[in-house]
Amino acid sequence: MAPKKASENSPKGQSKAPAQQKLRGTRQLKKEVVDLRTLLIHCAQAVAADDRLLAGELIKKIRQHSSRDGEWCQRLAFYFVNGLEARLAGTGSQLFHKMRAKQVSYEDMLKVYNFYLAVCPFHRASQTFANQTISEASVGQSKVHIVDFGVCSAFQWPSLIQRFGEQGMPPRLRITDIIEVPRPGFNPLESIEWAGKLLADYANMYKVPFQYQGIYSRYEDIQIEDLNIEEDEILIIHCMYRMKNLGDETVAMDSARDRVLKIMRRMNPKVFIVGILNGSYSSPFFLTRFKELLFHYSSMFDMLDMNAPRDNEERKVLEGGMLGRDMLNIIACEGADRIERPETYQQWQARCLKAGFEQLPLDPAIMKSVLWMKKEFYHEDFVADEDSGWLLQGWKGRVLYALSKWKVNGSCADQ
């Protein structure tokens, strides 16, 4: 489905507008981007200074030029100004928890997931990276145990199960999902049951011996004995884009993210696969954080505008229900309520080394596969590159996501 949808949504599959019209649209877009960015930064400065009169006037002006259905800069301004207004009113945490409490059906979640796979290569590349790494680590093994620090979506694993099934003599596969303490409106038992049934059906289809369990716990409180790790199985830890929600040193000096990495190290995995959202907008200083956030999400919304129709319903759900919720949290929440705290891949590299991991080199075959996929199915402005063993992905030169793999450093004492 993804390549077909990509060709429909991307510029490669759209008719080209007349050159004059395209040039005129580009000039208009640039003008609006500059105007709205300036207004948003001035408004953030007024909010930071608690200048309510000026902030109110700027919020009103931004609302006149923003729209959830317009060009990317107008859509971005629409959600940013919501955050600024909530911060000014002191209602950020209340609104954020209300948004988190909204339930999204698995059918709608799957539609948005497929939409995202179609318009950008980020998650497809993540799956390629993880599945190839797991396959290589599993060669000649009779038992494979994957501990997934994830969201219990189950979307990652069907392709891996198929790959194992096609080997002829597949290993016994165990998947343990570590499910975080849920938000209001989230039913962990229902999620575990749904994921387990879906994956068991795939395993039966491809005749792969399979076992699934879900553990409901905060990542930093996980007990290793609850994982039921067996001596004759290889253990693989998989964590994609979840570490950003763990507390950093501005929440507690002994940060939750360092504690979780040490727990992972004590599990003694053969391979630890990690994907991170690459961002610099975790500063405790509001204006610094706001400007970095503006740069990051400008790339995200521009990318969506170039690759998906503006009236696409899944795009609206992604922008408003998911990205909009994250932006509200970063702009309008502070302290423990601000749970979106991404770091750069360089910062995560230092954390992994400190926790007692040793980085494994990026497989050239994986890089080649990602570059081929990007060129074949996606817009030319998507970028993929390597730096210090990390597979970097982004849009128009800005790194948005990064992937790497690690093993336990045997020369380090147990953490």
Side-chain angles (χ1 to χ4, degrees), residues 36 40-41 43-44 59 62-63 66 73-87 286 289-298 301 323-324 327-328 330-332:
L36 284 170
L40 285 168
I41 291 174
C43 186
I59 286 172
I62 292 168
R63 289 211 178 279
S66 64
C73 50
Q74 296 172 318
R75 298 162 91 112
L76 182 70
F78 179 87
Y79 296 111
F80 264 69
V81 78
N82 284 346
L84 288 169
E85 190 171 49
R87 185 179 182 90
F286 171 65
R289 186 167 80 235
F290 184 87
K291 291 175 183 178
E292 285 294 331
L293 184 71
L294 186 58
F295 293 143
H296 181 92
Y297 277 95
S298 291
F301 274 66
L323 300 181
M327 286 183 276
L328 175 70
I330 297 159
I331 295 170

Side-chain angles (χ1 to χ4, degrees), residues 57 169 232 245 277 319 367:
E57 292 175 355
M169 291 288 290
D232 59 343
N245 297 129
L277 187 155
E319 291 178 343
M367 190 70 195

Side-chain angles (χ1 to χ4, degrees), residues 186 196 220:
F186 177 82
E220 57 266 42

Side-chain angles (χ1 to χ4, degrees), residues 285-316:
F285 305 106
F286 171 65
L287 281 177
T288 302
R289 186 167 80 235
F290 184 87
K291 291 175 183 178
E292 285 294 331
L293 184 71
L294 186 58
F295 293 143
H296 181 92
Y297 277 95
S298 291
S299 294
M300 289 292 294
F301 274 66
D302 177 45
M303 178 269 291
L304 289 170
D305 207 43
M306 290 289 289
N307 292 279
R310 291 174 185 165
D311 60 352
N312 182 282
E313 289 302 319
E314 286 75 30
R315 175 182 172 183
K316 292 179 182 179

Side-chain angles (χ1 to χ4, degrees), residues 196-235:
K197 185 179 184 305
L198 174 68
L199 295 175
D201 288 344
Y202 268 94
N204 288 333
M205 185 186 308
Y206 292 101
K207 296 180 172 54
V208 176
F210 179 75
Q211 182 182 351
Y212 175 86
Q213 67 172 337
I215 296 177
Y216 167 44
S217 171
R218 292 200 312 172
Y219 288 173
E220 57 266 42
D221 295 334
I222 190 68
Q223 300 297 311
I224 297 178
E225 54 268 25
D226 293 338
L227 303 176
N228 301 315
I229 300 171
E230 300 175 6
E231 290 186 4
D232 59 343
E233 65 184 12
I234 67 159
L235 180 68

Side-chain angles (χ1 to χ4, degrees), residues 237-248:
I237 296 177
H238 177 270
C239 184
M240 285 291 169
Y241 312 120
R242 303 303 299 167
M243 301 292 272
K244 65 186 176 67
N245 297 129
L246 295 171
D248 58 17

Side-chain angles (χ1 to χ4, degrees), residues 68 82 116 156 170 193 203 212 229 235 237 256 262 318 403:
R68 73 174 73 197
N82 284 346
Y116 198 67
Q156 166 77 33
E193 182 180 352
Y212 175 86
I229 300 171
L235 180 68
I237 296 177
K262 289 177 182 178
L318 176 64
L403 300 156

Side-chain angles (χ1 to χ4, degrees), residues 85-155:
E85 190 171 49
R87 185 179 182 90
L88 188 66
T91 58
S93 294
Q94 179 183 347
L95 290 175
F96 175 69
H97 290 301
K98 185 176 179 181
M99 291 183 74
R100 290 188 88 202
K102 288 184 178 179
Q103 285 191 328
V104 180
S105 70
Y106 290 118
E107 291 78 9
D108 289 341
M109 191 189 307
L110 183 59
K111 288 178 182 178
V112 174
Y113 180 78
N114 281 333
F115 164 77
Y116 198 67
L117 288 179
V119 300
C120 66
F122 303 142
H123 277 3
R124 288 187 72 195
S126 301
Q127 289 187 6
T128 299
F129 181 91
N131 289 349
Q132 183 64 28
T133 300
I134 294 169
S135 295
E136 290 175 358
S138 304
V139 172
Q141 302 293 329
S142 60
K143 296 181 180 180
V144 178
H145 186 180
I146 300 171
V147 175
D148 185 18
F149 289 77
V151 292
C152 195
S153 68
F155 299 146

